[in-house]
């Protein structure tokens, strides 16, 4: 059994605790938190919680750490720090800072002779894998990524700041028209604003004018004005009942030409009822890979691009070839 | 530049010749054929054609061979034979015989200290990769594969054998109802016959009775009776004009649950206007991988499960991380 530690215990950490339970080859040693352990309420009562500052005492007991902190403040510090002492995986997702994060994690992992897989998850992660594989196979073509249907935190905040709005959420939804263009083999570049539509579910304050609120939202520069935006008015009860989940997903579509202009289209998509639980499930699959690579003596930072798919599946190579190829 | 040889020159070989032209890092040394070289008409006039029995003279000039023979008679013999002397890739696609083929190719490749990647293509190949990755990520769920819309040779032959039929083709099409079930998170097992519908385009012989022909087709045991089958009558001109291409494709869909019953759905699909040209494009991407692995000293048989995705893309690891992750 692969012995796993969870570092950080928010939505992702909870998702990892659930995901480990669904495997037959991973075992949870415990959750490591900056909070006082006795104040952390885990999903399963039997889960151990330890103070993060005691983690080095667990070096011999843990095969891999799943780092569940945020990409803004936690991971830039935690992944290099812990990669010196443990095999680690993270889901660092600030695209622009990946080369820098990779370099720092690699230095620490090399120093400690550990393996570290960064930027697992789905974007970066599975979507990135599909982007490189599709382009490698059909070099003459165009790849489009669409996000959604998904709850957008920043745009939901913008809706809630409008006068007369008591509460609300915003969903980003891929435009069907743009997706059909992407699938058509057309080389036309699609801008983000034409690739997505925005849907708002808004609770009005008492006495507020629906027409005015709608107008204020759909004309808001940058956030909504460039997009096809729809505003639905709902009750407070509906907001509480129907809009608490964190759905997300999206599409990677590549279409291009082979031979003398033959169209070929490849598509990968996700429809997730919980974005964090899915990311946690990807982290756990790559934690299995990290533990196996560590056993093989692989050292240094890796990304999903560097990991042969067999490493994330629990079965043996023989079983995989026989049953899945 | 990676130096490539093509072995066998039918639809796949021609597709490889086209696909190499679309790359910037692969160069075609020539086509190796059992036919007399002067009788082989290549896509590009400048392509060299050599007799297959001279291939060992090219050991120093070729980095990787792309084997384009059939899985029934050619590859079981050619892949092991050539894997002793060259890095090779094939698209061996008889699922049940893959373990045996792998063992024979591995033995030859180990003997000759070569690398051999078998069963690239899309099923086996890309679909298989998606099956193992999706299952690894969402272990509690169900994977369904749907094929089509695609031309089926065996079923087209069956249609043409019916009395009163002058010509015709048959397309296998995934059932929308079954695909929606697969996406829904339901654990209900779907049988092949309810996952696909069959569409026939038929040219009648003069004087033949359309009703009788239709009845004979839709009630044909095994081939059509278990399926929802539609028969369209067309003219000989329409058959020649609209039904000469070799489209194919399909869907791998996994839906399952994380946490306490949260639905998550992953989907990979292909819509191919030319099945052989696409398979050729996958072969060429894995030929790049084989040449690189050979340079790294990797020896033995491999499948797409064993190949880290970075190996199939022409860019450097640094570029991939910066631009695609």
């Amino acid at each position: 059994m692969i012995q796993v530690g969870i570092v950080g215990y928010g939505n992702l950490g909870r998702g990892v605790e659930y995901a480990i339970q669904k495997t037959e080859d991973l075992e949870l040693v415990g959750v490591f938190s900056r909070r006082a352990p006795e104040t952390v309420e885990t999903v399963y009562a039997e889960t151990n919680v330890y103070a993060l500052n005691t983690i080095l005492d667990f070096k011999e007991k843990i095969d891999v750490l799943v780092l569940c902190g945020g990409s803004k403040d936690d991971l830039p510090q935690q992944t290099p720090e812990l990669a010196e002492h443990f095999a680690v995986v993270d889901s660092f997702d600030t695209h622009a800072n990946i080369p820098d994060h990779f370099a720092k994690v690699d230095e620490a992992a090399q120093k400690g002779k550990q393996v570290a897989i960064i930027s697992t998850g789905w974007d970066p992660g599975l979507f990135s894998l599909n982007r490189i594989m599709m382009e490698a196979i059909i070099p003459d073509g165009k790849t489009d990524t669409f996000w959604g249907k998904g709850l957008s935190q920043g745009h939901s905040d913008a809706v809630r700041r409008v006068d007369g709005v008591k509460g609300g959420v915003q969903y980003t939804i891929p435009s069907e028209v743009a997706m059909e263009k992407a699938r058509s083999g057309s080389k036309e570049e699609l801008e983000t604003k034409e690739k997505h539509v925005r849907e708002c579910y808004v609770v009005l304050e008492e006495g507020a004018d629906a027409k005015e609120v709608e107008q204020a939202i759909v004309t808001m520069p940058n956030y909504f004005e460039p997009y096809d935006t729809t505003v639905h008015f709902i009750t407070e009860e509906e907001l509480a009942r129907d809009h608490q989940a964190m759905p997300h997903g999206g599409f990677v579509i590549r279409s291009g030409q082979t031979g003398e202009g033959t169209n070929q289209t490849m598509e990968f998509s996700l429809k997730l009822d919980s974005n964090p639980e899915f990311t946690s499930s990807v982290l756990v699959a790559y934690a299995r890979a990290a533990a196996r690579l560590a056993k093989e003596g692989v050292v240094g930072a890796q990304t999903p691009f560097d990991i042969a798919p067999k490493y994330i599946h629990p079965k043996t190579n023989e079983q995989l070839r026989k049953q899945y190829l």
Side-chain angles (χ1 to χ4, degrees), chain A residues 126-127 129-131 133-135 137-138 142-146 148 174-176 178-185 249-256 264-271:
Chain A
L126 302 182
F127 273 22
L129 275 185
N130 276 281
R131 284 190 285 260
M133 294 194 68
M134 290 176 182
E135 184 174 288
I137 292 163
I138 307 290
K142 185 166 71 69
T143 306
D144 282 292
T145 304
F146 296 85
S175 151
E176 285 291 337
M179 287 211 290
E180 282 313 311
K181 274 194 198 165
R183 290 174 180 132
S184 72
F251 298 78
V252 178
I253 299 173
R254 184 167 184 87
S255 65
Q264 314 277 21
T265 303
M266 318 172 70
E267 186 164 333
F268 179 78
S269 65
L270 296 173
K271 188 170 171 295

Side-chain angles (χ1 to χ4, degrees), chain A residues 6-305:
Chain A
I6 294 173
V7 176
Y9 197 73
N11 284 329
L12 271 188
R14 259 190 299 277
V16 170
E17 192 182 355
Y18 275 120
I20 290 172
Q21 194 77 4
K22 299 266 193 191
T23 71
E24 291 177 0
D25 57 335
L26 273 66
E27 207 163 62
L28 181 58
V29 174
V31 165
F32 294 84
S33 172
R34 282 175 298 212
R35 287 178 275 162
E38 63 278 12
T39 67
V40 176
E41 270 191 52
T42 54
V43 167
Y44 301 108
E46 65 272 25
T47 297
N48 299 310
V49 184
Y50 304 105
L52 181 54
N53 60 19
T54 67
I55 200 165
L56 291 184
D57 301 343
F58 291 80
K59 276 193 78 160
E60 302 309 313
K61 294 183 191 114
I62 283 175
D63 296 312
V64 57
L65 287 179
V66 182
L67 310 186
C68 298
S71 291
K72 192 159 172 284
D73 299 316
D74 303 323
L75 300 176
Q77 191 198 331
Q78 284 179 352
T79 313
E81 252 176 46
L82 293 167
E84 201 181 320
H85 305 285
F86 296 92
V88 301
V89 287
D90 78 17
S91 61
F92 183 80
D93 68 359
T94 314
H95 292 267
N97 299 342
I98 286 174
D100 181 53
H101 186 62
F102 183 89
K104 288 190 177 127
V105 173
D106 190 49
E107 194 190 336
Q110 298 284 359
K111 191 171 163 201
K113 301 205 184 336
Q114 302 286 346
V115 67
I117 311 178
I118 66 157
S119 300
T120 69
W122 59 275
D123 196 359
L126 302 182
F127 273 22
S128 326
L129 275 185
N130 276 281
R131 284 190 285 260
I132 73 164
M133 294 194 68
M134 290 176 182
E135 184 174 288
I137 292 163
I138 307 290
D140 178 12
K142 185 166 71 69
T143 306
D144 282 292
T145 304
F146 296 85
W147 292 275
K149 177 184 177 175
L151 189 82
S152 159
Q153 211 49 66
H155 285 78
S156 296
D157 289 344
V159 165
R160 289 188 288 255
R161 282 193 301 264
V162 170
D163 275 348
V165 171
K166 192 168 182 188
V169 292
Q170 193 267 181
Y171 299 100
T172 304
I173 301 172
S175 151
E176 285 291 337
V177 174
M179 287 211 290
E180 282 313 311
K181 274 194 198 165
R183 290 174 180 132
S184 72
S186 139
K187 294 271 177 12
E188 182 190 333
E189 285 299 329
L190 300 168
E191 288 182 65
T192 302
K193 68 181 180 194
E194 59 179 322
K195 285 164 80 172
H196 299 93
V197 301
R198 300 195 175 281
E199 252 182 40
C200 308
Y201 290 83
V202 171
V203 180
L204 287 174
E205 278 179 355
E206 213 173 300
D209 183 295
K211 273 269 160 262
E212 278 178 26
V213 166
E214 182 178 1
Q215 203 52 25
I217 293 173
V218 302
T219 60
M220 195 186 297
N222 304 320
Y223 280 90
F224 294 105
E225 189 277 319
Y227 294 86
D228 179 357
T229 301
T230 314
V231 180
H232 304 277
F233 293 102
I234 58 172
T235 65
E236 227 170 335
E237 293 68 42
E238 287 169 327
L239 181 67
R241 188 189 65 205
D242 303 333
H243 300 281
Q244 294 311 300
M246 284 179 282
H248 220 308
F251 298 78
V252 178
I253 299 173
R254 184 167 184 87
S255 65
Q257 282 80 39
T258 57
E260 284 167 358
T262 315
N263 270 319
Q264 314 277 21
T265 303
M266 318 172 70
E267 186 164 333
F268 179 78
S269 65
L270 296 173
K271 188 170 171 295
L272 310 175
D273 282 359
S274 164
N275 182 3
E277 280 181 17
F278 186 78
T279 300
S280 300
S281 299
V282 181
L283 272 164
V284 167
Y286 279 95
R288 174 182 295 118
R292 289 170 165 182
L293 291 169
K295 239 187 172 165
E296 291 183 9
V298 172
V299 161
Q302 312 261 313
T303 77
F305 296 161

